[in-house]
Every structure is written in C-alpha cells, then in structure tokens.
Amino acid sequence: MPQDKAVTASVTTPEPPAATVGVEQAEAALVEHYPRLVRIAYLVLPPSLGRNRRVLTAHALVQRSLPRGRTAADMSGIPAPRRTDGSARDLGYAYVRGRVLRQALDAGRPLRRLARPRRAQLPPLLPHVWGLRLFPRSGGADELALDQRLSGLSCAARAAFVLRALEKLPDPEVWRVLDAAGARDVDTALAAAAGLRTVGTADAGELLESSEFDPCSLQARPTDLMRRRHHARTAVAAAAALAVSGALFGLPGGGWGPDGAAAPSSSRHPALEAALDPAKVRRVAPTAWERSTRTDFSVWPARGPLAGDRELLRRALTVWTRPGTAVRVTATPSTPPGPPMGPPQLLYAGRVDRARVVLFHDGLRVVRYAEPAPDGRGAGRSGRTADGKAVALDFARADGADATVSGALVLGRSDGNVRYLTAPWVRETSVRDLLDPAGAARPLRRDAHGVTEPLESPAMARDCASWDTLEVHADGTERLLTDLGELIPARLTSGPPSSPEDVSAAADRAAWARTACLLPTVRSHGVRSVNSWEYARQPLPESNGTALWLCTRAETWRGTGDRVLAQFQAPAERKTAPGAVAARAEDTPACGVREPRVLAGVLWKSRGGRWYVLAAGSERVASLEVSGGVEGRAKGRLLAVRSKEGAEAALYGRDGEGGRVDALR
C-alpha cells in the first residue's frame, strides 16, 4: 500500500477512549526505560548543538518529562503503544516518550526575534558539568556514516526514523506519535525516514543500538585548559576593574555620564563613515601581486563586471555594517561578524548564476554579500524577492593566509554546484575526483575575471558517490582545494606533519580515495587545511594482506578546534571503500607539527572469522601493550593479539626513552 494511503487510513482510525497516567506510573516508566529515552532524545536533537550539549540536553529533556504536580496526566492526545488487537500497554512509557519527543522537536526549531524561546531551546541548567566535555564512545565507519546522514535530516525526520527503526513502530503509529508531539509536515518526515534503511551493507536500525548513539555510556575529556586559565585571569582583572570603577563613581564631583567619554549616540565615527563610502573602497592594481613580497588575499585585484557599480557596493557595505532581520548572516567559528574597521578591499563584484555577489577583504576576514539578481522582480526593501530568496552575508576568517590557501574563494553555490574565483597567479584550473585516483583531471574553464565554470560541490551532496576537488596550477605546483561549506576552500595535503606536500603521487591519491568520504566530519568547522599521513603499514594475521594506518588532521583558521582521525584501511574489494575510524579527537596536538606521534588500535575480524586486537604507532613508538579484556605486548610499533568479539582493552605504548605514549582519543 502506498505510504500516503497508509497515513490517511491511520488518521481516520477511531481513537481509543482517553486514559490517564499517574505521576508514579510515569516515574516508574522513566526510571525503567531511562537509557532508551535518553538515546531517543539524543538522536532527535539537532547535531548543530555539538555532542557535549546534546548529551546534557538529552538527559535534561528526559528528566523534565514527568507530569506536573501530583495529579494524573491526560493521555487523550498521546497515542499509547498498541498490540495487534489495538489494546494499549505501558501508558506511562508512551506518555514520557511523547513528552521527550515534543521537547526534542522544540529544541530543533530556530529561535525567533521578539519571541519568547521555549525551555528546550535554551542550554539546560541541570544536569551541568564544569571543566569537562562529555560525549558517547566512538563507533565504526558505519556508525559515523549514519551520523552524517542523520545530520542531513530534519528533527521530525530523525524522530520518524528513530520511532520506526529503534521503537519498531509501524508507519500509521509513527504518524500518530509525531502528530501528537507537534511535529510539522509529518508526511514529509516519514518519506525522508523511509529512504534511510541501510548504511553500506549494515542495517541502519541495528546501528542505532551502537555505543556511538548511547548518551549514557560516556567518555570525559577536559575543556580547553589554556582558555580556562585565560578566562580566570580575565575574570579577576575584570573584578578588579569593577571595584576601581565603583570607587571612582563614589568620588564627589560631577564625573562622567553613563557612557563615559564616548561621543553622543547620534554622532558617527569617521572610520565607519569611510567604510560606507563605495568611492573609498580599496582597489588593488591588476599586476600588484607580481611585485609584492606577499602572496595572499591582500594582493588580489578588484575584478568583476559590476566592480564599478557604486549602488551595489553601497548596498553591500550598508548591509555589512547593519544587517537587517531579513539578512541571513553566517560566520565560520570564532569569526567576528561585525562591521568593517575602515574601507575594505574589493575583490569581486558581478553576477553569479541568479545572484549579484560582492567579495570584500578587510585584512582579517573575507566577506561575501549576495542579493537576488534583477529578474523582473528584484529585491524589495525587506531584503527578499517575491519568491522568498533572502540577502546573504557570509564571513570567513582569513588572517595568516599564504599562497597555499589563498588560491580560490567560493563565489556561490546553486543546484548542487559551486563556482570559484581564482587567484590572479593561478595559470590553469581543473577538476579531480578524489574517488577516482587513477582518473585524469578534467579541464575547468574560467572567464576573463577568473570565475570558474560550475562544478559539483561535495558540500551540498547527500551521498559520497564522488568528491570533486578544484586543482589549481600555479608556479609549477598543483594544489587540491575542496569545498567544505565555507567561503575559503580547504587545502588537501599528504605526508608527515613536518613536511606535508600536495597530493600528487599515486599512493597519496589512493589513500585519499578511501579518506574523502570522512571529510564531512569537518564540514563548516572553519578548516584551513586537511593533511592525511600514512604512519604505519601492518601485515595482517592469517596472511590477510597489509593494512594501512593513517592519521588525518584538519587544522582550523582560528588555531583551536583541530580535529584528528586515526584510520585503519584494511584491504577491500572497492578501492574507494572508506577506512575504519579507529580513534578521533579534538583540540589535541597529536598528529601535528608540535606532536607528530600517534597511536591507535582497532578490533579486527579476519577472513577466517577470528578476532584480533590490532594496533600501530608512529616511528617514535618503541613498544606497545594492551590490558583489560585482552592482554598482550609487543616490541616495536605494531601489535596483533588474538581476541574475541566485543572485547575492550586499554592501549598504550612507550617511546625509545621509556616515556608513555597514550592512544589517540
């Protein structure tokens, strides 16, 4: 039966008589099913909250799901679980689950101006953890792929998937539960959830039982200790300044007013006035980069057919200075979205697909302004066209750029494609698919202003069937840049952290073919470059071939928040099969210039059906040892110990001087 007919039939089915649930019954159900309810909340909550806040919010939502007061709760609007004969069972669990779903759906709705936020949309007061970050234990490659696909669904679609795959409810019952929880467009949510049945060869429903999605089985890591120390010092200094200010205000005499020595609010700062004047926008000469000692965005010339359109530039500068409520503003992490500090540098102004785009650079940031191009309707005063398209203002941090990362900027994305504006020193551009390591690069044409033809954007793709990168040719080098959803594409490299090189060798391209599909884990994270480094090769037991161990490190423009993945790439039938994620960490110097050492382990099953604990360290590791569920040690940096399915063990190593080397986590 088609899905829409099944949904319609469920709406017309007579409802059972209303029932009530006592507080004691709901509390008993909450305590008994607490881990399952927290797992449901964690899966439905938006991934944009981050894993630490999702964990705490999931626990908070479940703990706030009891009926208010001591009276019984009305179940007339909440469908109870049903047997095949239609009789209700476990009304307490159904009530608490409905409350959890309603709050999780509320948490996924955007905050609106002048509207009172719902409690679920705010950070939880309790439970609260100081000085630690909590997150579930890492799963395998299939769990990581499922997490990425779930992040692309709406909250309602994730809820539909969880009810169908984890709770094993039929579609009519899923429809009833979501409708009672206040979900919007339930039919669309069901249709989206129906498309998520398998991840690779694994059943998506079975993966939901993994520890990757269990917010009750947690790992703890410290927060940024240096930042905490800095904040503590800042707080002490602020308290001292406040005490001094209070003493000064208590002195006799007129003193300053509440605004101190600031000018009246009606006055305008000269620098701000200059920043709003399109005639004062800085324009670099077309050949300035040839004579300059710098090779970055500061020597890009002003280009584009609309670079002389003062009205367009005036609108762009004004929106940048004070964006209205109809302007969609985005910024990479730790990038201030404030007004320009003076007249910015113009990089480009022109039409890109269905929009007019202006690119600025102010020394710290690259700023992109986009408005709908005139098509008979134009943009009204509200900043929107008749068909609902909005003005966009995007910020990306660009301080410390050099020739290796300033070869291109994203001009626009539409219809799953992306267009780049290339640097003036780029001689040629081409497209290279990371998932086709043996394939040749495809030529990519540019216009006279350096704007490329559209190419497929991996940042907008829903799957990983291909991964097109921009290959720029300049000064005898070929650099790969990839779109990760931000203004500045990330540079891809291979090699040891001390001397990474551009991806050009056949072995490097083969390794990246099995790494590319892991790049969505660092999407929209302010990534500057991603280096993938083969740090060990390990002969597998039972003559099962040779496995590669790689460490992939994504470094950010802001200098913090770097993400590291340790990969285990066993021989596979498909040359592009993603490697298994053995470990991952954030805000760690491991696998980088400051600490090039890395150690990771994995539980592996041979073709003969026997299980092993495998581990490998980088060159400075002299011995390895596992303890706990599996015992074993080995001299050198490779280890293979017989184990059993599901075994857990602690792994560590020693360097040549006897110092301890901990596994990446």
Side-chain angles (χ1 to χ4, degrees), residues 144-226:
L144 181 62
L146 176 59
D147 189 39
Q148 294 169 5
R149 294 184 64 179
L150 287 175
S151 65
L153 300 178
S154 65
C155 285
R158 288 195 297 273
F161 173 70
V162 169
L163 292 173
R164 171 188 283 165
L166 187 65
E167 296 289 273
K168 309 299 182 185
L169 297 183
D171 281 0
E173 195 70 13
V174 173
W175 200 100
R176 289 160 49 84
V177 173
L178 289 180
D179 183 60
R184 301 170 182 172
D185 203 353
V186 179
D187 294 338
T188 302
L190 277 170
L196 186 54
R197 297 185 181 276
T198 59
V199 177
T201 59
D203 180 79
E206 294 178 359
L207 294 178
L208 291 183
E209 302 285 354
S210 165
S211 59
E212 174 84 19
F213 308 109
D214 183 7
C216 291
S217 178
L218 301 172
Q219 298 183 90
R221 297 291 180 269
T223 55
D224 191 328
L225 300 179
M226 295 301 296

Side-chain angles (χ1 to χ4, degrees), residues 2-220:
Q3 181 176 331
D4 54 350
K5 293 184 179 179
V7 171
T8 303
S10 70
V11 177
T12 57
T13 302
E15 294 288 340
T20 58
V21 173
V23 176
E24 292 79 7
Q25 183 181 359
E27 183 179 12
L30 188 151
V31 173
E32 179 182 358
H33 302 288
Y34 185 82
R36 191 174 192 85
L37 292 166
V38 176
R39 187 186 294 259
I40 291 173
Y42 180 81
L43 287 165
V44 177
L45 284 169
S48 59
L49 295 178
R51 291 193 294 170
N52 180 70
R53 181 172 167 185
R54 280 174 71 192
V55 166
L56 297 178
T57 302
H59 283 273
L61 298 187
V62 174
Q63 295 172 17
R64 295 202 302 256
S65 296
L66 291 177
R68 296 182 178 179
R70 304 299 301 175
T71 59
D74 185 9
M75 285 285 294
S76 59
I78 302 177
R82 295 173 177 271
R83 297 191 180 98
T84 55
D85 59 0
S87 59
R89 60 177 173 85
D90 201 355
L91 294 177
Y93 176 72
Y95 173 82
V96 176
R97 183 184 63 191
R99 289 286 301 272
V100 170
L101 286 172
R102 179 179 292 274
Q103 295 178 84
L105 292 172
D106 286 344
R109 296 191 172 101
L111 292 168
R112 301 185 181 279
R113 286 196 175 186
L114 305 180
R116 183 179 180 182
R118 304 190 182 189
R119 187 177 182 184
Q121 294 175 292
L122 302 175
L125 296 176
L126 292 173
H128 197 87
V129 179
W130 289 92
L132 288 175
R133 293 185 293 111
L134 304 177
F135 47 88
R137 298 183 179 274
S138 300
D142 290 335
E143 287 85 350
L144 181 62
L146 176 59
D147 189 39
Q148 294 169 5
R149 294 184 64 179
L150 287 175
S151 65
L153 300 178
S154 65
C155 285
R158 288 195 297 273
F161 173 70
V162 169
L163 292 173
R164 171 188 283 165
L166 187 65
E167 296 289 273
K168 309 299 182 185
L169 297 183
D171 281 0
E173 195 70 13
V174 173
W175 200 100
R176 289 160 49 84
V177 173
L178 289 180
D179 183 60
R184 301 170 182 172
D185 203 353
V186 179
D187 294 338
T188 302
L190 277 170
L196 186 54
R197 297 185 181 276
T198 59
V199 177
T201 59
D203 180 79
E206 294 178 359
L207 294 178
L208 291 183
E209 302 285 354
S210 165
S211 59
E212 174 84 19
F213 308 109
D214 183 7
C216 291
S217 178
L218 301 172
Q219 298 183 90

Side-chain angles (χ1 to χ4, degrees), residues 396-656:
R397 190 164 175 171
D399 52 318
D402 55 21
T404 63
V405 291
S406 58
L409 290 172
V410 171
L411 269 184
R413 302 181 184 90
S414 63
D415 302 325
N417 297 319
V418 59
R419 288 182 187 267
Y420 294 99
L421 175 68
T422 56
W425 53 83
V426 172
R427 303 299 184 187
E428 183 183 345
T429 56
S430 54
V431 180
R432 187 174 290 278
D433 185 1
L434 289 182
L435 300 189
D436 185 13
R442 308 189 305 271
L444 183 66
R445 291 186 297 181
R446 298 179 295 163
D447 65 14
H449 302 282
V451 179
T452 68
E453 290 184 330
L455 66 149
E456 186 176 349
S457 169
M460 302 179 68
R462 294 189 175 183
D463 53 23
C464 194
S466 64
W467 196 284
D468 284 348
T469 60
L470 175 68
E471 188 174 64
V472 296
H473 304 250
D475 298 330
T477 61
E478 300 173 356
R479 296 190 179 97
L480 288 186
L481 305 175
T482 187
D483 182 14
L484 292 180
E486 297 170 332
L487 280 180
I488 306 177
R491 181 194 179 198
L492 303 182
T493 58
S494 294
S498 59
S499 56
E501 297 179 351
D502 293 300
V503 184
S504 56
D508 294 337
R509 288 174 180 165
W512 264 109
R514 302 189 62 181
T515 304
C517 291
L518 300 178
L519 285 174
T521 60
V522 296
R523 183 181 294 166
S524 300
H525 191 61
V527 172
R528 175 191 178 104
S529 62
V530 184
N531 183 58
S532 195
W533 167 43
E534 178 189 319
Y535 68 88
R537 289 190 173 218
Q538 182 173 27
L540 295 175
E542 303 179 21
S543 300
N544 278 199
T546 301
L548 305 183
W549 290 88
L550 285 87
C551 192
T552 303
R553 181 181 179 88
E555 297 196 338
T556 66
W557 285 93
R558 61 191 182 277
T560 59
D562 298 341
R563 292 184 177 178
V564 179
L565 295 177
Q567 288 185 66
F568 174 75
Q569 294 186 356
E573 295 181 2
R574 290 191 304 113
K575 294 183 179 180
T576 60
V581 178
R584 55 183 171 182
E586 186 169 340
D587 272 334
T588 174
C591 197
V593 176
R594 294 180 58 186
E595 189 178 324
R597 295 185 308 185
V598 60
L599 170 63
V602 70
L603 189 63
W604 173 79
K605 183 179 181 182
S606 70
R607 289 195 291 264
R610 286 173 284 274
W611 290 89
Y612 293 84
V613 170
L614 305 179
S618 53
E619 290 184 354
R620 297 184 182 179
V621 178
S623 64
L624 299 178
E625 183 173 343
V626 290
S627 60
V630 180
E631 302 285 341
R633 64 182 60 188
K635 290 185 177 180
R637 57 195 184 104
L638 300 178
L639 177 143
V641 180
R642 281 288 303 271
S643 180
K644 59 182 179 180
E645 183 179 3
E648 295 186 1
L651 168 68
Y652 70 94
R654 299 282 181 184
D655 58 22

